[in-house]
Amino acid sequence: MDEQELSLARERLLEEIAAEARHTADWTGRAVLSPRVMAAMAKVPRHEFVSAPDHALAYVNRPLSIGHGQTISQPYIVAIMTDLLDINESDRVLEIGCGSGYQAAVLAEIAKDVYSVEVVPTLAEEARLRLARLNYANVHIRIGDGYAGWPDQAPFDAVIVTSAPPSIPDALVDQLKAGGRLVIPVGRAGETQTLYRCERTADGRLVRSSKLPVAFVPMVPGDTEVDKG
Ligand code: SAH
């Protein structure tokens, strides 16, 4: 595909995201996504985040393999999760599960800084090189266990988790500012999970509301043997 075909495919994808947002509005409460989120989806070259043979599929609204048994999420899911975070330009955002770096790039378009933790070292290193090549200087990647968050950089205005833990990890709530938002899929591996949007109150409580049934890869405990190849 040449640049013109890629940009046409990206425009069609934006229309599909907008349509899916309308169709799922009863669940998400967001019939129309923020123009800032849509502009970020229009700008980030998703084909750069998948392998060359998958370039033609990069703007189809579905998840794709990124190796190591992991996937880059469906574009609509990236868009709705980003929208639910209600990000401001001055926000510092924590992502758990950097994977290809695509979600981090979308966040980097609308936030001040993005801190992304990835447990598979090869994926973290590839994402680091890719984001540097694409000039995303405001994405910071750390290899480590996302259950611990990134304490040195806390607190965050928003936290997004792109793999599913069985319950909300305490450390991620602790690292959220008052008024901060957490968007996270929760559920057991192999079962349908629920996407939650949570907000931390001034007195430290977490108010959560369920948004959508979703299917994410499981969030692996830090001491699990993962495919580090
Ligand atoms: N956001 C990614 C998609 C991620 S798929 C993108 O845009 O491409 C989920 C990612 O979470 C995988 O890369 C997986 O290795 C990572 N992951 C799973 N468990 C984790 C944990 N405990 N800590 C950090 N990352 C984890």
Side-chain angles (χ1 to χ4, degrees):
M1 280 178 120
D2 61 25
E3 277 307 318
Q4 200 186 350
E5 287 169 322
L6 287 169
S7 99
L8 270 176
R10 207 175 300 141
E11 268 171 43
R12 272 199 306 273
L13 174 62
L14 283 187
E15 285 165 20
E16 279 180 43
I17 292 172
E20 194 159 350
R22 284 194 298 276
H23 294 147
T24 50
D26 284 351
W27 280 311
T28 64
R30 308 255 166 135
V32 179
L33 305 189
S34 131
R36 295 182 70 227
V37 171
M38 291 304 273
M41 296 298 297
K43 188 162 170 209
V44 179
R46 191 169 186 260
H47 64 282
E48 298 281 3
F49 295 80
V50 299
S51 65
D54 278 349
H55 275 189
L57 296 175
Y59 299 103
V60 178
N61 190 19
R62 64 178 226 199
L64 289 171
S65 167
I66 53 171
H68 308 272
Q70 303 301 333
T71 52
I72 174 172
S73 304
Q74 182 194 357
Y76 157 73
I77 289 289
V78 172
I80 188 72
M81 288 177 81
T82 307
D83 198 81
L84 289 169
L85 286 169
D86 291 319
I87 288 169
N88 298 307
E89 276 166 48
S90 57
D91 282 357
R92 298 168 68 254
V93 183
L94 173 66
E95 178 189 30
I96 306 301
C98 187
S100 68
Y102 176 70
Q103 171 77 71
V106 171
L107 293 166
E109 292 286 347
I110 59 173
K112 180 161 177 286
D113 280 293
V114 179
Y115 297 84
S116 188
V117 182
E118 172 55 54
V119 76
V120 178
T122 315
L123 285 174
E125 278 146 24
E126 287 170 2
R128 212 176 257 152
L129 290 175
R130 177 180 293 127
L131 290 166
R133 180 164 52 79
L134 297 171
N135 293 320
Y136 286 104
N138 59 338
V139 179
H140 317 278
I141 299 174
R142 188 170 76 84
I143 297 168
D145 176 19
Y147 279 95
W150 194 329
D152 294 352
Q153 293 294 344
F156 299 96
D157 300 283
V159 177
I160 179 172
V161 182
T162 65
S163 57
S167 61
I168 296 178
D170 289 340
L172 302 185
V173 179
D174 293 343
Q175 291 173 28
L176 203 55
K177 283 185 192 168
R181 290 81 58 200
L182 166 66
V183 172
I184 182 169
V186 178
R188 270 190 285 276
E191 293 178 9
T192 301
Q193 305 131 7
T194 303
L195 185 70
Y196 287 96
R197 180 191 188 278
C198 314
E199 205 164 310
R200 194 171 187 194
T201 61
D203 58 7
R205 281 179 312 118
L206 194 70
V207 179
R208 63 166 95 180
S209 70
S210 63
K211 293 296 178 189
L212 267 186
V214 286
F216 277 81
V217 294
M219 184 166 165
V220 299
D223 52 8
T224 304
E225 265 306 305
V226 290
D227 171 12
K228 301 221 166 122

